């Protein structure tokens, strides 16, 4: 008869032996928006930790990956860096949205047209039947170009509110903003993790969250508790 106490291991295989077989969850996050807003640079910054010296327009999609650890769970973040140019994306659009877990909409804070075009990107996303539970965030990139800013934060916040998104304003280029770039993705992963560990899903959408718009010193990427 098995004894209950005394620090004995319960019957069954040794957890240490099973550890290599524990599945790592994969979250697919797509990054969309006009060409030249900095989608490739943002994903590069998050997955590789640097700002790429030179980028070409993305053709189709580039995949980047980063494994993060949140509250003891290792999660693989699969980032889909999509093409902004219509001619480089049209054959791929169905693939972008298939089984997507979260969507990052990017505009360039120095280019008003990239912001006004967001409604077209949202329409495309809605047109692909992305479920309302799939979290979406709005990212204003190139904030390092302070003298050239065309899109006021207040306007961006209004858009984010109207579309139930969180807003991040950041720069893929400025190394001091790298934690803020990490926070975009970590925030989504935390939400997905919380959503997917609930016994039953919250069909009303996400509970109210503090806005990450106010830039906060987040914990370093990789190992973190929720940055939201
Ligand atoms: N100043 C500044 N420039 C940036 C920033 N992010 C990207 N850029 C520049 O913006 C240009 C376009 O960046 P990409 O990341 O290639 O843009 P993209 O959105 O991936 O474009 P497509 O692949 O065509 O859809 C490049 O010259 C980058 O160096 C930023 O945060 N600040
Ligand atoms: Mg690109």
């Amino acid at each position: 008869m098995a004894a209950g106490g005394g620090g004995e291991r319960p019957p069954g295989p040794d957890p240490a032996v099973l550890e290599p077989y524990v599945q790592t969850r994969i979250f697919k996050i797509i990054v969309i928006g006009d060409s030249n807003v900095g989608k490739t640079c943002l994903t590069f910054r998050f997955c590789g930790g640097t700002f790429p010296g030179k980028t070409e327009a993305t053709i189709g999609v580039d995949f980047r990956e980063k494994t993060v650890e949140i509250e003891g769970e290792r999660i693989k973040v699969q980032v889909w860096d999509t093409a902004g140019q219509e001619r480089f994306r049209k054959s791929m659009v169905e693939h972008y949205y298939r089984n997507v877990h979260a969507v990052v909409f990017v505009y360039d804070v120095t280019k008003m047209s990239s912001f006004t075009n967001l409604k077209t990107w949202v329409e495309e996303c809605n047109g692909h039947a992305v479920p309302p539970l799939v979290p979406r965030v709005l990212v204003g990139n190139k904030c390092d170009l302070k003298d050239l800013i065309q899109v006021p934060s207040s306007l961006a916040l209004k858009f984010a509110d109207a579309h139930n998104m969180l807003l991040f304003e950041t720069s893929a280029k400025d190394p001091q903003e790298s934690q803020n770039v990490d926070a975009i993705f970590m925030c989504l992963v935390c939400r997905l993790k919380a959503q997917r560990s609930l016994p039953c899903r919250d069909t009303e959408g996400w509970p109210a969250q503090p806005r990450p718009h106010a830039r906060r010193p987040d914990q370093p990427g990789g190992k973190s508790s929720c940055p939201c």
Side-chain angles (χ1 to χ4, degrees), residues 32-33 42 103-109 114-119 121-122 135-141 151-170 180 184 188 211-213:
I32 62 177
L42 282 167
V103 184
V104 178
F105 293 90
V106 186
Y107 66 96
D108 174 349
V109 295
S114 72
F115 178 76
T116 51
N117 284 341
L118 283 169
K119 68 175 188 327
W121 294 109
V122 171
R136 305 169 181 206
V137 294
L138 181 61
V139 177
N141 188 38
V151 184
S153 299
S154 54
L155 191 62
L157 259 177
K158 223 166 153 181
F159 184 90
D161 273 343
H163 293 88
N164 196 25
M165 297 179 195
L166 297 169
L167 170 67
F168 290 83
E169 289 180 311
T170 193
N180 212 23
I184 298 164
L188 286 171
R211 303 200 72 78
H213 172 244

Side-chain angles (χ1 to χ4, degrees), residues 10 19 49 52 54 56 64 68 91 98 105-106 117 120 122 131 143 162 169 176 179 195 202 223 228:
E19 200 169 326
K54 190 175 177 296
E56 306 283 346
R64 307 211 155 77
V68 299
S91 61
R98 190 170 301 146
F105 293 90
V106 186
N117 284 341
T120 316
V122 171
C143 282
E169 289 180 311
Q176 294 193 341
Q179 289 189 356
Q195 185 184 34
D202 172 11
K223 262 188 180 179
C228 293

Side-chain angles (χ1 to χ4, degrees), residues 52-119:
K54 190 175 177 296
T55 55
E56 306 283 346
T58 304
I59 297 172
V61 64
D62 285 329
F63 298 106
R64 307 211 155 77
E65 223 173 63
K66 181 166 173 171
T67 301
V68 299
E69 192 179 316
I70 295 178
E71 290 157 358
E73 183 186 356
R74 280 163 64 81
I75 293 170
K76 197 177 277 184
V77 187
Q78 187 184 78
V79 182
W80 289 47
D81 169 24
T82 71
Q85 286 190 44
E86 178 61 21
R87 63 191 167 130
F88 293 147
R89 69 195 312 277
K90 54 176 181 255
S91 61
M92 289 294 295
V93 178
E94 301 300 322
H95 300 281
Y96 295 160
Y97 292 102
R98 190 170 301 146
N99 298 323
V100 68
H101 293 118
V103 184
V104 178
F105 293 90
V106 186
Y107 66 96
D108 174 349
V109 295
T110 71
K111 196 165 178 200
M112 184 53 95
S113 62
S114 72
F115 178 76
T116 51
N117 284 341
L118 283 169
K119 68 175 188 327

Side-chain angles (χ1 to χ4, degrees), residues 1-5 8-12:
M1 192 176 158
E8 278 184 38
R9 196 167 51 76

Side-chain angles (χ1 to χ4, degrees), residues 42-58:
L42 282 167
T43 58
F44 213 88
R45 171 66 79 188
F46 172 64
C47 296
T50 56
F51 182 72
K54 190 175 177 296
T55 55
E56 306 283 346
T58 304

Side-chain angles (χ1 to χ4, degrees), residues 12-62:
D14 183 346
V17 175
L18 286 177
E19 200 169 326
Y21 302 100
V22 173
Q23 278 202 332
T24 306
R25 287 198 284 177
I26 299 174
F27 290 154
K28 169 181 172 180
I29 300 180
I30 62 169
V31 181
I32 62 177
D34 275 10
S35 181
N36 222 43
V37 294
K39 299 180 296 297
T40 295
C41 293
L42 282 167
T43 58
F44 213 88
R45 171 66 79 188
F46 172 64
C47 296
T50 56
F51 182 72
K54 190 175 177 296
T55 55
E56 306 283 346
T58 304
I59 297 172
V61 64
D62 285 329

